[in-house]
Amino acid sequence: MMLKKAVIYLQVGLIALVASSCSPRRLTLEDTPDTRVLRTGPSRSMIYIAQTSAGPIIIDLGWTGAKEALRAALKELGTDSANVAGVFITHAHRDHIAGWPVVAKAPFYMAAPERDFLFGDFQYHAWIPRTAEELRPSELPASGTLQVREFTHDTSFVVGRDTVYAFMVTGHTPGSAAYLFRGVLFAGDALSHTTLAGFRMPKARFTENPREAAANLRNLFERVGTRDVKYVCTAHAECSAYNDEFMQDLFKDAGKNTPVR
Ligand SMILES: [Zn+2]
């Protein structure tokens, strides 16, 4: 019995070791004097804040504890919610929007199909988001209460001396978007990461249309083109250098690399 257990532990250990040595190295996005990277809630949902010459921009709004963390981080950057130049939403799943009441006066940028989900007018169908919402409805803004600047195709927004490039990566949700800012591609949940599998397609149990999500993640990297991308990050603060190793691992076997269940 003991021997059997030991063999199982050894096998699990080997799998972990092999997986970590095959996958691209996972990186941590660190704070700088101008930026804060917040990790909120049980799934480390990322809120990224960067000071720009026009005021801070924020990418995603986190989960539990987001409101307090957001206020504190803005204060650390020497500013407050009244100065926020733009909030960029990758998608409106509950674990990425909880801080919205703190920045309700700022312009919200998002892909058009996501708007009705943010306001609770449409419900997600994927089983985990749907069941979570049935069990405990999220606190959502009332329709028409935020200034929403929506987009329907890949585009860019100038914020002070910076540019935020926005890409449609629909599939995980109907209006999932990725944003490229100062060399970091914030892919939202259009890209997922697990300890064993590394960077992969979005997880199917959270995803509205896994097939569409996989196709759009693939062509996202074509659309990014020659723009300067140094790092790619998920909405859960898992990042990788953007290089051949990352791309080969992500797409090494299209057949095997089906959505993670
Ligand atoms: Zn999500």
Side-chain angles (χ1 to χ4, degrees), residues 42-64:
S43 57
R44 296 160 48 91
S45 300
M46 180 164 58
I47 303 176
Y48 173 83
I49 311 172
Q51 187 60 277
T52 77
S53 59
I57 66 145
I58 302 174
I59 300 177
D60 282 341
L61 292 169
W63 200 4
T64 48

Side-chain angles (χ1 to χ4, degrees), residues 64-166:
T64 48
K67 288 184 259 190
E68 300 74 16
L70 197 49
R71 279 195 203 98
L74 288 168
K75 198 170 172 187
E76 271 179 37
L77 290 171
T79 184
D80 64 43
S81 58
N83 297 320
V84 172
V87 175
F88 293 83
I89 299 290
T90 63
H91 66 301
H93 274 161
R94 58 166 53 203
D95 51 331
H96 303 289
I97 56 165
W100 71 264
V102 174
V103 288
K105 292 203 168 65
F108 275 59
Y109 294 83
M110 69 187 74
E114 206 65 11
R115 167 198 206 121
D116 293 329
F117 295 94
L118 177 66
F119 290 122
D121 296 334
F122 287 176
Q123 302 299 324
Y124 295 113
H125 294 294
W127 82 265
I128 289 186
R130 189 189 67 229
T131 308
E133 216 48 48
E134 283 165 9
L135 292 174
R136 192 170 170 202
S138 301
E139 182 193 1
L140 297 175
S143 293
T145 55
L146 302 173
Q147 305 172 49
V148 176
R149 302 189 183 167
E150 58 189 37
F151 50 90
T152 53
H153 54 271
D154 295 355
T155 185
S156 58
F157 301 99
V158 174
V159 187
R161 285 191 286 275
D162 285 285
T163 302
V164 180
Y165 297 93

Side-chain angles (χ1 to χ4, degrees), residues 2-44:
M2 285 291 283
L3 185 67
K4 203 172 166 191
K5 247 187 183 171
V7 169
I8 291 170
Y9 283 136
L10 191 67
Q11 282 172 343
V12 170
L14 278 177
I15 291 167
L17 197 70
V18 169
S20 63
S21 62
C22 293
S23 305
R25 210 158 66 84
R26 195 174 56 167
L27 298 173
T28 307
L29 203 57
E30 305 283 358
D31 291 348
T32 70
D34 284 342
T35 64
R36 288 293 178 277
V37 182
L38 312 179
R39 297 165 176 86
T40 62
S43 57
R44 296 160 48 91

Side-chain angles (χ1 to χ4, degrees), residues 169-175 202 207-219 259:
V169 270
T170 61
H172 177 63
T173 64
T207 296
E208 299 292 300
N209 187 333
R211 217 173 271 271
E212 182 190 355
N216 282 334
L217 180 63
R218 182 178 287 271
N219 66 42

